[in-house]
Structures are given as C-alpha cells and as structure tokens.
Amino acid sequence: NIWDFWPIALMCLCQLSMATDRGEQPTCGSYRPAPVLNPLNSGPEKIAPPFKGPLEQEKWIRRVVSDLLADHPVKGPKPPVRMTSNSLESAPSAIPFYTPMLNDFPMDYYGQSTRGDLIPSQEYQEAKLELEAVDTKDAKGVYNALELDSLGWNVEPFCPVPAHRAVFCSRTLNFRSVRCIGYDMDYTLVHYKVVEWEGRAYHYAKEYLRQAHFPVDDLSFNCELVCRGLVIDKELGNMIKVDKFGYVKRAMHGSQRMSYKETHSIYGRQLVDLREKRWVFLNTLFSVSEGCLFAQLVDKLDQGVLNITGAGGGAPIQLNYELLFNAVSKALFRAHVEGKLKDDVMTDTERYVELDKDLPHALLDQKEAGKKLALITNSDWAYTKTLMSFVFDRFLPNNMTWRDVFDVVVVSARKPAFFSQSMPVYELMTEDGLMRETYQFKEGRIYSGGSASMIEKVFRCDADDIMYIGDHIFTDVNYAKGYMRWRT
C-alpha cells in the first residue's frame, strides 16, 4: 500500500530538519540513507539520490512522494478529505488530508484537527455525512450544511445572547461541578451610573479638600480622564499603564500624556511591583474619582498654586506627590465612610443605580438548576436592603423578594479579612438591624461578619464546588482564590 511509505518519508523530513538545526550539511559523498523498504518492489533497496545539502534533499523527497502518489493511485478505503481555502476550487477529489501537495496540514493521522478548532466528529456521525473522497460540489454542500467556511470555522458562531451581554471564560469551566455561587453587591449585582456616582464622590472629596485649604473650586469631574486598571506612581506623580510583565507601556503626568521618549527615559528599565508602596493600583470603578482628582491636583502642584498652610495659619506645608495622593485618598475615604454619599444614593436610588431586568432571572435560573446562592458584601444592612430591593423586587415573579433568591446573605463582611481570618458573626433578627451573636451560618438567614469557611460548612461544599464573583481584583478575586482556593 502506498500509504505505508508516507511515515517513512515524514521521518526523513524530520531527520533533515534536526540536522539543519544542528548546523550539519550532509553531502552526496558523505551521506547515504539507511536501507528502506521500497514500496514498489519487494525487498530492501539502497537509495542514493544526487543532491547536495538538506534543502535539495527535502525537495527530492517531496518530488518522489508526489510522483508516487500521481503514478500509483491508492487502492482500498481512502481517508477523509479536508479542503483548504486554496484547494477547495481546484484540488482533485482523491487528495488525502496529509498529502504534501497541500499547503497546510490541518489534521493528523487520527483525523483530529491540529489547528485548535476541534470540530466534533459526532456531528458528522449523526448527520451520516460521507466525507470520503468528495468532489468540490459535495464539499461545499457539507460545509454549508454544517455552517462552516472552507477552513472549517463557524460562519456565524452561535451565541444565545448579544455579545455585549454574554459571559466569556478565559479557561475551561465545568459549571455542573459548581454547587454554590457567591456574589458581591457593589458593581457586581448593583451597577452604578459612573458619571453620577463617581461625580458625587468627587464632589464630597472636593469639599473635604476645600476645608483643608486646597484651591479646588475650579476643578470639575472628568470621567474620561482615568479608567480602572491604571497604576499611580506616588513618587513622580504619574499614572501609568502596565502590561502583565510589569513593563510600563504608557504614562501620563497629571492630566497630560507623556511621549514615548519621556516614558522610556523614566521607566525603560523599571519593572512595576505592586507590592511596593510606591505604586497604587486603581482596581475598581470606585477609583475613577480618586485618580481624576489626583491628576488635576498634580497639575496645580506643578504650576506652584498649591500653597497649603498648616493648622492655625502656620507655615506653608511643602507638598510632594506622595503627600498629595495621601490627602486625596483620605478625602475619598471620608466621603465613603462618613455615609453622606450612601445617604444620597438611598434617598434618590434611581439617579445613581442602573436597572437590569435580566439580572434577577439569571439568578433564578441558577437557583432552579440546584445552585446555592450567597450574597457577600462589605456594605451595611440598611444600604444593602435598599439597593437590592430596588434592583431585584420589581422584576421577580409571584411576589418574590430578593431575599428569596439567596440562601445566605452576609453584610458588613469586611473583605478581604472575610477570606483569610475567623471573625465574630452576628445574626440579624429584625428589619432595623437588631443583632445577636452566633457561631455558624444557617440557610435562609442574614448575618453580619463571619468567615468564608462558614459558607463551606453551611452548604457542605469543598473549595472546588464554590465560585465567587466580584468586581475587586484584590479583595474579591485574589483573596478568594489565594486563601480559600475558590473559583473566581
């Protein structure tokens, strides 16, 4: 059979390739191939082709194989045809998928794709499609029936929802193995209107800075100046964009973009390590107002107009970029912690929070599929109750409320310590927040505090059975993965 010769020829090509990689140049006088089985005659035969160097040898072997295939057609069953874009119109129907006359080799000896698209053979078996030595017209019909192009790719990949509403994975996930799903609330289940929410946080931060005699009256919030994922350089007053290896790709000083030459001269040999105190990672949407205000104040500091006096009208404070960032960070912290911002949101929720009618139904689908759902948020009970009722209750059927969706609710969780430490836990007994101390979670209850290990115990789950979904790369993702080995 002529096909017995192909593995031998392929082995010769591999040997030549390795010889070329080693820098060897075999010649006709010094090189003789070992005896091989001549597929056209019985018995071994010495082959000593007249060529010089591995390139001519490779051409010779390809020519011999092509001549053998042309002069001695295959008898018996033939392998499936796999057409390419260049050969679909003109390739003979008898050319196998591994013939050297094709430009690429999309399938291996077992008929498996080597390109990574993994077209399941079950589809072919169920359709009872015969792909043996098909002609051009039949090949087109097969591809049209399977909605594939000439290279085997899906013409229109199936997606049950619009792409901007779909969920994409960066690795394989068997969702059947997930028994419990935990959710964060802010910017996960509850999505804020960034311009309104961060603009209000920016407003309160300005008020605190004005009380500290910062000249901020002429500043206004610019939501397009900063985005999540940037890094602040407290030493030089820059905001930088870093790749996954720690190299700086772009930089901005204050609100002004730095040129490539300036960026390279400062950070060309610099690797950013977020464990160093010099860097601050803007890893949530809550950081947008902080980055915007810092960049604007850097411009004022460079212009020499930030003349801040000490307490009681003392000597001016000599500010640097690090002290400036600390002042901005402290002002934003007060805006969130003192409760004025949350009071505004609870008073006029519709102004700050987006509604999504598909969200409650998505969680109900998960619950009906047997998944246990848990809400784990750092927000307090009053704030959580107001926002979850606003987002969920109007879209739930049969007079259900958001509390019917979740098997366990944890407020004031104090993440990331929730994932790494054992802390006191309190059960909420009344709607106004009256609590009593307890020592374990029970389904259908609401708790304050506690730890991630209690979630595993109440649902009788292992680490691999739980997935936690949140917006904060450090607090939600890194700690849940690093300490508890939960899926994230």
Side-chain angles (χ1 to χ4, degrees), residues 40-152:
L40 307 182
N41 302 304
S42 60
E45 178 185 49
K46 290 279 187 176
I47 300 178
F51 54 79
K52 295 181 180 181
L55 295 179
E56 292 188 13
Q57 182 178 5
E58 181 179 349
K59 292 179 181 179
W60 176 82
I61 292 178
R62 286 183 175 272
R63 187 170 63 253
V64 169
V65 174
S66 300
D67 293 341
L68 289 173
L69 292 173
D71 297 338
H72 301 275
V74 181
K75 297 180 180 180
K78 302 177 180 61
V81 172
R82 184 58 177 251
M83 297 295 184
T84 66
S85 58
N86 297 327
S87 61
L88 185 59
E89 297 293 339
S90 59
S93 60
I95 294 179
F97 54 78
Y98 49 76
T99 173
M101 284 180 281
L102 294 180
N103 295 327
D104 56 353
F105 302 89
M107 306 186 78
D108 59 17
Y109 287 106
Y110 299 99
Q112 300 294 326
S113 171
T114 61
R115 193 174 50 238
D117 50 350
L118 295 179
I119 302 174
S121 59
Q122 183 178 359
E123 294 182 15
Y124 296 92
Q125 296 173 1
E126 292 177 351
K128 296 181 180 180
L129 298 174
E130 295 293 332
L131 295 182
E132 298 179 355
V134 295
D135 57 20
T136 303
K137 182 178 180 180
D138 292 337
K140 288 183 177 180
V142 169
Y143 285 159
N144 291 335
L146 296 176
E147 297 184 355
L148 305 176
D149 60 16
S150 60
L151 294 177

Side-chain angles (χ1 to χ4, degrees), residues 8 10-20 22 24 31:
I8 300 174
L10 183 61
M11 181 176 64
C12 293
L13 291 176
C14 294
Q15 291 175 349
L16 285 176
S17 178
M18 290 187 292
T20 305
R22 295 194 299 266
E24 300 177 4
Y31 174 75

Side-chain angles (χ1 to χ4, degrees), residues 98-294:
Y98 49 76
T99 173
M101 284 180 281
L102 294 180
N103 295 327
D104 56 353
F105 302 89
M107 306 186 78
D108 59 17
Y109 287 106
Y110 299 99
Q112 300 294 326
S113 171
T114 61
R115 193 174 50 238
D117 50 350
L118 295 179
I119 302 174
S121 59
Q122 183 178 359
E123 294 182 15
Y124 296 92
Q125 296 173 1
E126 292 177 351
K128 296 181 180 180
L129 298 174
E130 295 293 332
L131 295 182
E132 298 179 355
V134 295
D135 57 20
T136 303
K137 182 178 180 180
D138 292 337
K140 288 183 177 180
V142 169
Y143 285 159
N144 291 335
L146 296 176
E147 297 184 355
L148 305 176
D149 60 16
S150 60
L151 294 177
W153 296 96
N154 290 330
V155 178
E156 295 183 0
F158 173 74
C159 186
V161 296
H164 67 280
R165 298 285 292 169
V167 178
F168 300 92
C169 292
S170 59
R171 57 180 295 181
T172 302
L173 172 65
N174 182 6
F175 208 67
R176 292 185 179 91
S177 66
V178 176
R179 297 172 52 197
C180 173
I181 307 175
Y183 286 98
D184 183 28
M185 186 182 74
D186 298 303
Y187 277 121
T188 302
L189 295 179
V190 175
H191 286 267
Y192 298 97
K193 300 176 182 178
V194 177
V195 176
E196 296 292 339
W197 166 269
E198 292 301 313
R200 198 61 178 170
Y202 180 93
H203 166 76
Y204 282 118
K206 273 180 53 177
E207 291 298 320
Y208 293 129
L209 291 174
R210 183 182 292 107
Q211 296 174 12
H213 308 291
F214 279 77
V216 294
D217 292 333
D218 59 333
L219 299 181
S220 60
F221 178 58
N222 181 4
C223 64
E224 297 181 354
L225 183 62
V226 179
C227 67
R228 178 174 55 176
L230 299 181
V231 178
I232 290 180
D233 182 356
K234 295 192 294 183
E235 183 178 307
L236 300 178
N238 298 333
M239 269 188 291
I240 56 179
K241 182 178 181 179
V242 184
D243 64 15
K244 63 181 180 180
F245 302 106
Y247 291 100
V248 178
K249 310 304 292 184
R250 296 179 181 179
M252 181 172 68
H253 183 76
S255 60
Q256 302 300 317
R257 177 80 172 271
M258 297 171 60
S259 67
Y260 172 81
K261 184 177 181 180
E262 293 174 322
T263 303
H264 186 72
S265 64
I266 298 174
Y267 298 108
R269 298 178 181 270
Q270 178 75 54
L271 282 177
V272 176
D273 186 351
L274 295 179
R275 294 172 295 184
E276 299 176 3
K277 295 183 178 180
R278 173 180 177 178
W279 316 105
V280 177
F281 186 29
L282 305 181
N283 53 10
T284 72
L285 290 173
F286 289 121
S287 303
V288 173
S289 55
E290 180 180 33
C292 176
L293 189 54
F294 174 71

